[in-house]
Amino acid sequence: MSGSSASAGDAPPPTTSVTASTIVAEVVSGSHVLKIDGFSQTIGASDGGSYALEESGYLVGDSFSLRCDVAVVKDIRTEDDATTVKKLVGVPPPSDIGAHLGRLLAAGHGADVAIHVGGETFAAHRCVLAARSPVFMAELFGPMAMSRHNNEETIRVHDMEPRVFEAMLHFIYNDSLPEVDDDDDGEVAAMAQHLLVAADRYDMGRLKLICEDTLCSHVDASTAATALTLAEQHHCERLKEACFKFMENPSNLKAVMASDDFLHLTRSCSSLLKKLAKLAA
């Protein structure tokens, strides 16, 4: 006996994925009134039936009017329903991972390395330091780490002030610099100078650019010589341009040359002497 039913072992028919969509048409509409005179002349041509128009009240003075409503479809398209439905969820807020890591640093939970800077010690997390700085990556997980004793969980940082390292550590975790007194331009510039050196030392490009931008906006007679020295030694072309731009003014150049840091600039950056001489000429 033949039959068309599928056996129990047959695979189910394939399913088709259907996405909902809406037909959207751009329509231009309008109306036109047509007046017809001489209705009585058409009576003789009829087959003798009743004239509903005569009894309707629309026939006035042997004439009547027709109103025609016209709609012209200019364009027809389809849109996915996902684009026509108003979003129920607002735009996500900015990333707060820096705030979370900052709280981790402040609390010290899970810290696994101690960093000695000057007379102070900072607790930190090896993975966070390594993720943010290639230099820390090499020191903590590369050949430099293998050369230390296995049970030594400390790092010693030389030639850096504790407050500068603390600010850099804050940036490593928070991706932002700690707040400083913006009214004290000297302190802002001094910290930016130290942090630029630290950022270059630990290969932290974003921090270095932030410090360079800060120094560019704080170039004056008291900072230009030091800023130009740092720009030359740490390859900060924008900062170098800002310093030379400031010294194009003869009075500014005279004030910079009279500063205590200008002599250090001429001794440590001989490559700049030719351009400085050209400005002074």
Side-chain angles (χ1 to χ4, degrees):
M1 181 177 178
S2 62
S4 59
S5 61
S7 63
D10 290 343
T15 59
T16 302
S17 176
V18 180
T19 58
S21 61
T22 302
I23 298 177
V24 180
E26 184 179 352
V27 179
V28 177
S29 61
S31 63
H32 181 74
V33 177
L34 178 65
K35 184 177 181 180
I36 300 177
D37 295 320
F39 173 75
S40 60
Q41 298 178 17
T42 65
I43 298 177
S46 68
D47 58 359
S50 61
Y51 296 98
L53 183 59
E54 293 178 288
E55 301 175 355
S56 66
Y58 291 108
L59 186 63
V60 179
D62 202 31
S63 64
F64 63 94
S65 298
L66 294 176
R67 172 176 168 168
C68 301
D69 292 322
V70 181
V72 179
V73 179
K74 297 180 63 177
D75 182 38
I76 299 177
R77 64 186 185 277
T78 60
E79 292 183 354
D80 293 339
D81 285 349
T83 62
T84 59
V85 178
K86 183 179 180 180
K87 290 184 178 181
L88 300 179
V89 180
V91 178
S95 173
D96 57 357
I97 187 173
H100 288 290
L101 290 176
R103 289 195 290 269
L104 182 67
L105 173 66
H109 297 312
D112 55 3
V113 62
I115 307 171
H116 299 292
V117 187
E120 299 185 27
T121 301
F122 302 91
H125 304 80
R126 300 158 64 91
C127 288
V128 177
L129 297 178
R132 298 285 278 160
S133 164
V135 176
F136 276 128
M137 174 67 80
E139 189 170 358
L140 293 167
F141 295 103
M144 296 172 64
M146 299 298 295
S147 65
R148 298 200 307 267
H149 296 295
N150 292 334
N151 60 350
E152 186 178 359
E153 301 295 341
T154 61
I155 296 177
R156 297 187 181 276
V157 176
H158 303 285
D159 301 323
M160 187 181 300
E161 296 179 20
R163 68 185 185 96
V164 176
F165 183 83
E166 184 177 19
M168 185 179 73
L169 192 62
H170 183 281
F171 182 86
I172 287 175
Y173 279 80
N174 295 270
D175 201 41
S176 63
L177 291 174
E179 294 183 1
V180 295
D181 185 3
D182 293 336
D183 295 332
D184 190 347
D185 289 342
E187 176 60 24
V188 172
M191 178 58 76
Q193 291 170 4
H194 290 301
L195 280 175
L196 186 144
V197 176
D200 196 33
R201 174 176 173 179
Y202 285 94
D203 196 10
M204 298 175 61
R206 173 172 156 76
L207 176 58
K208 182 179 176 181
L209 286 174
I210 292 174
C211 294
E212 182 180 5
D213 183 68
T214 300
L215 291 175
C216 284
S217 62
H218 287 78
V219 174
D220 57 27
S222 63
T223 63
T226 300
L228 185 55
T229 302
L230 292 175
E232 179 68 10
Q233 294 175 342
H234 299 280
H235 313 289
C236 301
E237 294 303 319
R238 287 180 57 247
L239 180 57
K240 188 188 300 185
E241 292 175 6
C243 293
F244 279 120
K245 184 71 175 178
F246 175 79
M247 291 188 294
E248 285 178 356
N249 184 301
S251 60
N252 291 342
L253 177 61
K254 184 177 180 180
V256 172
M257 295 177 67
S259 66
D260 296 335
D261 298 318
F262 186 76
L263 181 60
H264 174 68
L265 168 64
T266 57
R267 290 177 176 176
S268 59
C269 302
S270 57
S271 58
L272 298 177
L273 293 179
K274 184 176 180 180
K275 191 165 185 176
L276 289 171
K278 184 177 180 180
L279 287 175

